[in-house]
Amino acid sequence: MAIKFKAQARKNPQDLNLPEKYYAAAIADGSVDMDSLAEQISYQCTVTESDCYAVLLSLERNIIDALKQGRIVKLGRLGNFQVGISSEGRDSELELDASAITKSRILFRPGKRLRRLLNDLSFRKAS
């Protein structure tokens, strides 16, 4: 199995006068939702599909609650979630307050097995 990609033209953000260059962009090949995950997990163990779904929903709620509190969520071998922020620069520490924050995002740092997956991927250009 190979990950499909397409060519995507992009301008150089540092010099918009330069000609565009083409970069590879991964193409998603469908998705897997909570229902599908719950069903798959139920076939792989003795837990029912509805129990798996309930656990996945609870996991999502608990991750959200922990992130709202500024905590790092460590999911063992799966990896870690954490809130990250970007801000405008200020001339002094005293001038820096919450109004300087321009963007927040959720960071995910994959565990070892997921990172190793990246070494085993193959790619093919979509036709």
Side-chain angles (χ1 to χ4, degrees):
M1 199 73 135
I3 306 291
K4 295 179 199 170
F5 70 92
K6 64 181 178 182
Q8 194 168 53
R10 292 190 196 147
K11 288 259 185 208
N12 182 338
Q14 296 174 347
D15 187 349
L16 297 175
N17 295 322
L18 290 175
E20 292 180 331
K21 288 189 176 184
Y22 288 86
Y23 298 88
I27 300 173
D29 191 15
S31 63
V32 178
D33 62 12
M34 294 278 260
D35 292 333
S36 298
L37 287 172
E39 182 179 359
Q40 289 174 5
I41 292 168
S42 72
Y43 290 134
Q44 297 166 353
C45 62
T46 60
V47 181
T48 67
E49 182 178 341
S50 58
D51 288 340
C52 290
Y53 191 76
V55 168
L56 290 171
L57 286 177
S58 293
L59 177 63
E60 177 189 34
R61 275 192 295 274
N62 284 288
I63 289 172
I64 290 168
D65 288 344
L67 291 174
K68 282 182 180 179
Q69 296 173 43
R71 296 180 175 169
I72 296 172
V73 178
K74 297 181 177 184
L75 295 178
R77 295 183 347 192
L78 185 60
N80 302 332
F81 289 94
Q82 182 176 1
V83 172
I85 58 175
S86 299
S87 75
E88 298 169 346
R90 297 289 194 255
D91 291 330
S92 72
E93 184 178 343
L94 290 174
E95 292 179 64
L96 184 66
D97 59 14
S99 68
I101 296 171
T102 57
K103 182 171 69 170
S104 58
R105 61 197 173 284
I106 296 173
L107 305 173
F108 176 70
R109 287 185 300 279
K112 288 180 185 177
R113 290 176 71 184
L114 283 175
R115 283 194 314 264
R116 276 198 305 258
L117 160 80
L118 297 174
N119 297 328
D120 298 333
L121 293 177
S122 62
F123 301 93
R124 71 176 169 87
K125 190 171 181 180
S127 45

